[in-house]
Amino acid sequence: MSATPTTTSVSDYEVLVVGAGFSGLYLLHRLRAEGHLVHAVEQAPEVGGTWYWNRYPGARCDVESVDYSYSWDEDLQQEWTWTEKYPAQHDILAYLKHVADRFDLRKDIDFNTTLTGAEWDESQGLWTATAADGRVYRARYLLMAVGCLSAPKDIDLPGFQEFTGRVLRTYDWPEGEDLRGQTVGVVGTGSTGAQVVPALAETVADLTVVQRTPNFVIPTRNRPLHEGELDEIKADYPARRIRNKTHPAGVFRSDNPKNAYDVDDEERRATFQERWEGGGINFLGSFADLMFDQAANDAVVEFVHSKIDEIVDDPETAASLKPDGYPLGAKRPVVATDYYETYNRSNVHLVDVKKNPLETFTATGFRLADGTEYEVDTMVLATGFDAFTGPFTKMDIRGTGGRSLAEIWNRDGAKTHLGFGASGFPNMIIVANVGSPSVLANMVTAIEQHVDWISRLLSTMRDEGHTMIEAQESAQEAWAQTVEDVAAMTLWPNGDSGSWYRGANVDGKVQLFMPYAAGVVEYGTTIDKAAANDYEGFTLS
Ligand code: NAP
């Protein structure tokens, strides 16, 4: 796995941060400000994490720009200018580059540095991490700011090795490539597929979309910010940030307090319609019980089906696009612009491989079970991620007694105590990933909550003379059970969705519900209580 070492330099730090995306940058800033000797390594040549890599046409965040940004510096939020309601990939990347420059973070980041492994040295109480080029980093604390969606899923398409055309993957798309004039196939209709398909449809000659499981796609309704809108938001920014932290999703939403069947059919449909017109993830706030009551969820499913029928001209295509067999929300809801409308274009075709399986790829394209052949110049794979665990298990991480994190997580599933630490891996601290709200919330709010807790922890440890922290196995088991139990109170784990929330999108992956579904408010109370209780469930020494 690792490249031949070209250098043997050894660098010593108190804290090594792995990753320079939203988590890594804030960690670096915060810990440095508190006097820790901290350094970061980043695989890419630039900051940004997921927003550096995912440069595919149409890439955009579905949390509003003004909320998908750091809240910890008033001057920063006052001086930055967002131009659209929802930020495009390049807007977020420009923002993160600005943050790196403004807070002079780059001097403490080694770019183009891929860690291949990290080993806990019990005798010295230090992590030794090795980069692909042989450089070695030693640090007391290893902070895994690696992101939840940064390791692509392996290609598992039948006969794909036969295909000799060009292959592009959305997770590391070449800058500016729009495949103009080409015949293109896309596999994947998740959040990424639903953004790249309408964007590519504008430029390619012919686009065939291979769909396995249809998703519920809510219109984004992106727009430029109105004149004066940003000024109004900025005038109220601190209060807005506080409001965001009072909602489980880490971003304020005016959720309807009523349940779906508290109202008559007419009001229910009007409510869905109004939220659909408004666009975005607010649609999920239509009724309070959408994620808790099957009948309420059935009602929203029926509404989305009716919208698909309204928008899509061809009845057979419309039928294929309708998700069934799982509740809306069990798979990450998709927010995209003109997704269903795109199937009315003459250069776009939907292939439903649930009805007519993809038999094999060929040298020039792919063949379906009924013998239909498709020829393409380029295949675009928007096939998703080995979510949460992939960025960890692709590294060789060795804890106490040489135990392998990959072996344990691949065998038992990923378990942590409160989302921060895994038993047997002292001083490895996890940021906004498995066992915490992470992807079920505005990621930036979830990250800030984690970084604030971690920075308090490290300063407390320093002040109290501790040098080691480790999750207790019993506490970890109990927390993993809590994460499952909380998910089981919702409709999230239900149905046959194949969701990456529980590892079901990767063949053979142990299925555990990985994010903590109670949200950032409840979670904040829990982790603050643990901290106040001498970091209950962790052993400090
Ligand atoms: P994803 O949601 O896992 O979607 C992957 C797609 O590829 C699915 O449609 C899947 O079909 C399909 N696929 C995978 N393997 C396949 C195979 N062997 N044959 C046929 N189809 C196959 O991944 P994603 O779209 O990259 O999104 C991941 C997450 O990133 C999102 O859920 C979201 O959290 C985040 N994201 C957010 C935004 C945004 O803010 N708007 C944009 C992009 C991504 P099956 O469902 O049948 O497996």
Side-chain angles (χ1 to χ4, degrees), residues 50-51 54 56 58-63 68 87 92 149 153-158 170-171 187-195 210-215 220 326 331-336 353-354 358 361 381-387 439 497-501 504-507:
T50 198
W51 298 107
N54 286 266
Y56 59 84
R60 190 175 290 282
C61 182
D62 54 17
V63 177
Y68 196 79
I92 304 172
L149 296 159
K153 195 179 90 137
D154 288 343
I155 297 175
D156 56 1
L157 297 159
T170 46
Y171 80 88
V187 184
T189 54
S191 297
T192 303
Q195 290 186 329
V210 175
Q211 172 194 275
R212 187 164 62 186
T213 311
N215 271 288
T220 317
Y326 69 92
K331 244 174 148 63
R332 162 67 150 82
V334 174
V335 179
V353 295
K354 277 244 162 98
L358 197 158
F361 275 82
L381 303 188
T383 45
F385 297 88
D386 183 0
V439 297
S497 75
S499 173
W500 57 263
Y501 287 158
N505 65 325
V506 173
D507 272 351

Side-chain angles (χ1 to χ4, degrees), residues 3 10 39 76 86 110 163 178 222 228 272 351 360 383 507-508 511:
V10 178
H39 196 79
L76 171 67
Y86 296 99
D110 287 355
F163 181 64
D178 66 5
N222 184 40
F272 287 140
V351 168
T360 187
T383 45
D507 272 351
Q511 292 198 26

Side-chain angles (χ1 to χ4, degrees), residues 81-139:
T81 301
W82 297 106
T83 56
E84 290 186 280
K85 183 168 180 184
Y86 296 99
Q89 170 268 335
H90 57 83
D91 295 325
I92 304 172
L93 184 57
Y95 169 77
L96 288 174
K97 285 176 170 177
H98 169 75
V99 170
D101 293 335
R102 192 187 187 288
F103 295 96
D104 199 13
L105 300 177
R106 292 177 191 277
K107 67 174 188 219
D108 290 319
I109 305 172
D110 287 355
F111 292 102
N112 299 303
T113 302
T114 303
L115 292 190
T116 54
E119 196 170 352
W120 174 246
D121 178 341
E122 278 176 74
S123 61
Q124 302 210 50
L126 294 176
W127 280 96
T128 304
T130 309
D133 64 5
R135 272 173 298 156
V136 171
Y137 297 84
R138 276 193 311 233

Side-chain angles (χ1 to χ4, degrees), residues 388 433-440 483 487 501-502 513-517:
F388 304 101
N433 198 293
V434 59
S436 69
S438 61
V439 297
L440 295 179
V483 172
Y501 287 158
R502 55 191 170 114
F513 198 83
M514 286 178 273
Y516 179 56

Side-chain angles (χ1 to χ4, degrees), residues 200-508:
L200 285 179
E202 300 277 340
T203 54
V204 304
D206 190 88
L207 187 65
T208 299
V209 183
V210 175
Q211 172 194 275
R212 187 164 62 186
T213 311
N215 271 288
F216 297 94
V217 184
I218 300 156
T220 317
R221 315 264 188 232
N222 184 40
R223 58 170 174 79
L225 290 176
H226 303 310
E227 173 115 30
E229 191 175 356
L230 189 59
D231 292 338
E232 268 175 41
I233 291 168
K234 284 183 176 177
D236 183 46
Y237 231 146
R240 183 180 180 106
R241 299 295 197 178
I242 290 169
R243 260 197 320 276
N244 281 346
K245 288 173 187 164
T246 64
H247 192 286
V251 59
F252 186 72
R253 227 169 48 192
S254 57
D255 289 344
N256 184 355
K258 291 181 188 167
N259 288 334
Y261 281 91
D262 288 348
V263 302
D264 62 22
D265 292 358
E266 198 181 329
E267 183 177 339
R268 194 163 46 253
R269 183 159 176 96
T271 305
F272 287 140
Q273 180 65 30
E274 192 187 330
R275 298 252 170 181
W276 182 267
E277 289 304 326
I281 219 89
N282 275 345
F283 183 69
L284 298 182
S286 305
F287 290 101
D289 56 348
L290 286 192
M291 285 316 299
F292 299 98
D293 180 69
Q294 189 61 54
N297 203 283
D298 290 345
V300 73
V301 167
E302 191 189 315
F303 175 81
V304 176
H305 283 185
S306 76
K307 298 316 281 184
I308 295 171
D309 279 332
E310 242 173 62
I311 298 168
V312 179
D313 296 341
D314 174 45
E316 201 184 327
T317 305
S320 285
L321 286 167
K322 287 180 195 166
D324 62 8
Y326 69 92
L328 184 150
K331 244 174 148 63
R332 162 67 150 82
V334 174
V335 179
T337 298
D338 288 342
Y339 180 67
Y340 292 128
E341 288 81 351
T342 295
Y343 290 97
N344 294 335
R345 296 176 65 111
S346 58
N347 68 335
V348 177
H349 329 280
L350 182 70
V351 168
D352 180 345
V353 295
K354 277 244 162 98
K355 284 192 188 143
N356 189 2
L358 197 158
E359 189 179 84
T360 187
F361 275 82
T362 62
T364 52
F366 55 92
R367 186 168 62 240
L368 304 182
D370 73 352
T372 315
E373 299 249 6
Y374 289 82
E375 301 223 326
V376 297
D377 303 317
T378 298
M379 276 309 305
V380 171
L381 303 188
T383 45
F385 297 88
D386 183 0
F388 304 101
T389 57
F392 294 83
T393 57
K394 74 179 185 187
M395 281 174 64
D396 186 13
I397 299 176
R398 302 270 163 178
T400 314
R403 72 187 67 187
S404 153
L405 187 74
E407 265 173 44
I408 296 169
W409 282 13
N410 288 337
R411 186 189 62 223
D412 304 336
K415 297 178 185 174
T416 64
H417 180 45
L418 297 180
F420 290 107
S423 168
F425 297 86
N427 291 7
M428 181 186 84
I429 301 176
I430 298 169
V431 191
N433 198 293
V434 59
S436 69
S438 61
V439 297
L440 295 179
N442 172 0
M443 260 325 279
V444 184
T445 309
I447 284 167
E448 290 189 348
Q449 182 179 51
H450 249 218
V451 171
D452 291 347
W453 194 92
I454 291 166
S455 94
R456 216 162 45 235
L457 165 74
L458 294 189
S459 296
T460 305
M461 288 181 69
R462 180 182 57 194
D463 296 348
E464 295 182 357
H466 297 300
T467 54
M468 205 173 97
I469 177 166
E470 183 180 352
Q472 292 160 10
E473 177 136 25
S474 55
Q476 171 174 295
E477 284 302 317
W479 183 247
Q481 192 57 51
T482 302
V483 172
E484 279 291 310
D485 292 347
V486 170
M489 292 174 199
T490 72
L491 300 178
W492 264 307
N494 289 24
D496 182 20
S497 75
S499 173
W500 57 263
Y501 287 158
R502 55 191 170 114
N505 65 325
V506 173
D507 272 351

